[in-house]
Structure formats: structure tokens, C-alpha cells
Amino acid sequence: MAKLVTIYGGSGFIGRYIARRMAKLGWRVRVAVRRPNDAHFTKTYGVVGQVEPVFCNIRDDDSVRRVMQGADAVVNCVGILAEAGKQTFEAVQQQGAARIARIAAQEGVEHLVQISAIGADAGSDSAYARTKAAGEQAVQQNFPGAVILRPSIVFGPGDGFFNRFASMTRLSPVLPLVGPDTKFQPVYVDDVAHAAELGATGRAEPDIYELGGPDVESFRDLMAQMLRTIRRRRMIVGLPFGLARIMGRFFGGVSKVSGGILQGPITEDQVEQLKRDNVVHEGVKTFADLGIVPTPTEAVLPDYLWRFRPSGQYAEIKESARNLRHKGPQT
């Protein structure tokens, strides 16, 4: 019988790429999510019955254990960028990660992969970064043989980074940025999935790997690249951290009052994250240690940001037409 992998958060941005890769290897894939009905698209990643979306609440032991039973490998992709109701940083990124690792050890799972993030730091002013670090520590304590992956900002079709800012250009002549000089090292989503595949199949040594793309760019430069890709001109304006913190506090209050239904463009915690560069540190294991050559942004962005161009899919045709020269009758 084919081996089985349980992917917590397997219908999310990174999780769906991991699910697709594991299915292509012939593994049975259990996609553990809070809303299985919204994850039916993952069934198309394999043959009938190979990929199965199942309900799971990672805040509950029995729920986590039920979907893990019989699994040879486990991948935890669950994470949040903003708190909403019971979905707090501590509950999801710290306690949830600890619960999955503890139960994986009890169930005799062979391999565990934890998706964390560059910037995970127990001493950070950001609750997101602190709980990512606490989750890593709990995973290593409960499952010492785990592979922990720390990607920088992840891009690709369906991302919440380039797509978000590209959509803003349709509505405003100005592109406001918090921390425009903050450095990022964008990493292609399928490269992260490849690293997770190596961890889940036992082809990666247990350790922490920081995953960044081939280029380090400022937030401002990445937005300039995005604007060139979508053929639009917008004024990039840097917002002071003080003003951004006030905005984040206000939107956080709105979110809390609405029970998480209404989410603002930025949170106070995200402002804290943007104060620090999000790049691979020296002396750590990276893609090179996994034998993976990371993909540059320019090789992928045009493939999915074309829809934000003024003429959409016809932009390149119109540009080519403008270069044609009218030829008069031959004499």
C-alpha cells in the first residue's frame, strides 16, 4: 500500500503545492483543514481517492490524532498572519505546532516537517515571530528528528503578497508601504514545497533550514519590479512606523469588535515585523544543503500578474502591434 502523509493546512497557499508534489510521488495524501468542503480542489492532484480532504481542528488533541493515524509522514503548514477570535498566534503557531509534534511522536510517525518563517525569534516584539519560535522549540522537544523550514516572503500564483499590492494599483495612484527599505528574499512557493517533500520523504537531514530566493531586495524595489511587470506607474510612498502603528492599532480594534470578520490592511504586529529584514542569516542551512536551486522572481511574476495589466492578457499583443511598421506598396 502507498505511503500516507497528513498535511495540516494542506489546502493553503504552501500546503496545496506540497500536497500536489506528494501525490505525484504516489503517496496517499490527507489534507487536514477546518473546512474540507473548501478543499475539494485538492482531489484533482491525484487519482480517485488518492487525495482526501478531512476535517481537523489543531486546537484539539483528538481531532489532530484522528487524521494522523496511520500516517508515515506529517507536514504542518498551519499559520496565521493576523489573530481572529480563537485563532490566536499562541493557539495556532505555538500550541498547535506542539500538539502535532507530540502526537506524531506518540503515533510513531517517521518524518515531520514544520513550516515556520524567517524572523522566528523568542525575543521579538512581534507576537507572530515569538510564537513561531516557540512552536519550533516545542517541535524539536517533542520530535527531535523534525525538519523545520523557515521561508522568507513566499511568492507564486495565489500569493498574498504581490497579488495584494498589484490589486491595489487598480484603485489608487499611490502605493503606500510600511518599511519601504526593509529587505526581503522572496522564495518561490514550489521551491518551498520541494524542500518539504525532501523532509517528508526522509531525504533531508533533520535541522532548521532558512529558505530564500536568489535575490535580496528592499520592499520598495520589489514593488517597483511588480509595477514594471503589470505595466503600471504608481507613486510609492513610505509610511512612518509611528503612523503605521496607530493605523494597525485602530484596525486591530475593529477586528476585535467584529470578532475577526472585518480585517484591516495592516496590524500592529505586522508593523513590528516590518522593522526587521526578512533574509537568510549567515551560517545556517539553506536550499544549497538540500540541493535545490531557488527560482528568481522575474521567472515567475509575469506568469500570474499579467491579469493586473491595463490590457490584461492582451497587453503583450498590443505592445507588439505598436512595434509593427506599415509597409507601403512595393515599386
Side-chain angles (χ1 to χ4, degrees):
M1 183 177 293
K3 288 191 172 183
L4 170 66
V5 59
T6 297
I7 306 176
Y8 294 90
S11 66
F13 177 46
I14 298 176
R16 66 185 64 181
Y17 280 83
I18 300 173
R20 184 184 289 113
R21 277 186 165 270
M22 297 304 291
K24 285 183 177 180
L25 289 178
W27 284 53
R28 291 181 296 135
V29 182
R30 221 176 255 162
V31 177
V33 292
R34 287 191 298 154
R35 300 182 181 87
N37 288 338
D38 294 338
H40 282 174
F41 65 89
T42 61
K43 291 183 176 182
T44 63
Y45 297 164
V47 298
V48 176
Q50 184 182 1
V51 181
E52 178 188 15
V54 294
F55 170 78
C56 178
N57 178 0
I58 67 165
R59 302 195 310 270
D60 179 75
D61 272 32
D62 290 338
S63 184
V64 169
R65 190 183 302 277
R66 184 167 54 252
V67 300
M68 193 187 296
Q69 289 177 343
D72 299 282
V74 166
V75 182
N76 179 24
C77 302
V78 181
I80 56 176
L81 296 175
E83 297 180 315
K86 295 181 180 180
Q87 295 292 100
T88 65
F89 289 130
E90 183 177 358
V92 174
Q93 298 182 166
Q94 179 177 342
Q95 296 174 2
R99 179 173 293 109
I100 289 171
R102 170 172 52 81
I103 294 175
Q106 294 170 355
E107 291 293 318
V109 172
E110 293 180 32
H111 305 292
L112 171 64
V113 179
Q114 168 74 15
I115 306 296
S116 186
I118 286 181
D121 181 1
S124 174
D125 291 329
S126 161
Y128 172 89
R130 289 197 306 273
T131 52
K132 279 291 188 182
E136 289 183 1
Q137 183 179 13
V139 167
Q140 289 181 315
Q141 288 175 346
N142 287 282
F143 203 107
V147 170
I148 297 176
L149 304 178
R150 291 177 174 176
S152 181
I153 194 77
V154 184
F155 72 92
D159 70 40
F161 184 67
F162 286 111
N163 276 297
R164 176 185 179 186
F165 287 99
S167 65
M168 290 172 60
T169 65
R170 289 173 166 174
L171 304 173
S172 172
V174 176
L175 202 59
L177 303 181
V178 179
D181 297 321
T182 300
K183 298 290 193 301
F184 292 95
Q185 197 167 348
V187 56
Y188 180 43
V189 60
D190 195 49
D191 291 339
V192 178
H194 189 182
E197 172 199 320
L198 296 179
T201 56
R203 290 179 288 161
E205 290 294 324
D207 212 328
I208 296 177
Y209 297 82
E210 294 200 349
L211 308 181
D215 303 309
V216 175
E217 303 280 358
S218 70
F219 196 176
R220 185 189 301 277
D221 289 340
L222 288 175
M223 291 300 98
Q225 181 184 10
M226 177 270 293
L227 289 170
R228 290 193 299 272
T229 301
I230 65 173
R231 314 290 202 270
R232 292 182 186 269
R233 293 184 179 182
R234 294 294 183 267
M235 181 182 296
I236 299 176
V237 177
L239 296 180
F241 283 115
L243 175 60
R245 189 181 301 109
I246 294 172
M247 293 171 58
R249 190 172 300 146
F250 170 76
F251 289 121
V254 172
S255 176
K256 185 172 294 186
V257 170
S258 67
I261 297 176
L262 299 177
Q263 294 285 344
I266 195 166
T267 68
E268 195 172 0
D269 195 82
Q270 288 167 351
V271 174
E272 291 299 326
Q273 296 174 48
L274 286 167
K275 291 180 179 179
R276 301 178 63 177
D277 291 340
N278 197 268
V279 299
V280 172
H281 298 87
E282 293 184 4
V284 299
K285 287 191 174 182
T286 66
F287 275 130
D289 297 280
L290 297 170
I292 299 174
V293 179
T295 307
T297 52
E298 60 264 25
V300 180
L301 292 187
D303 291 343
Y304 68 96
L305 291 185
W306 56 263
R307 64 193 182 96
F308 295 104
R309 294 171 179 170
S311 301
Q313 61 184 319
Y314 303 106
E316 292 185 350
I317 297 176
K318 291 177 69 175
E319 290 168 5
S320 296
R322 281 197 295 267
N323 294 327
L324 294 177
R325 295 181 178 179
H326 175 69
K327 293 184 178 181
Q330 299 294 321
T331 60

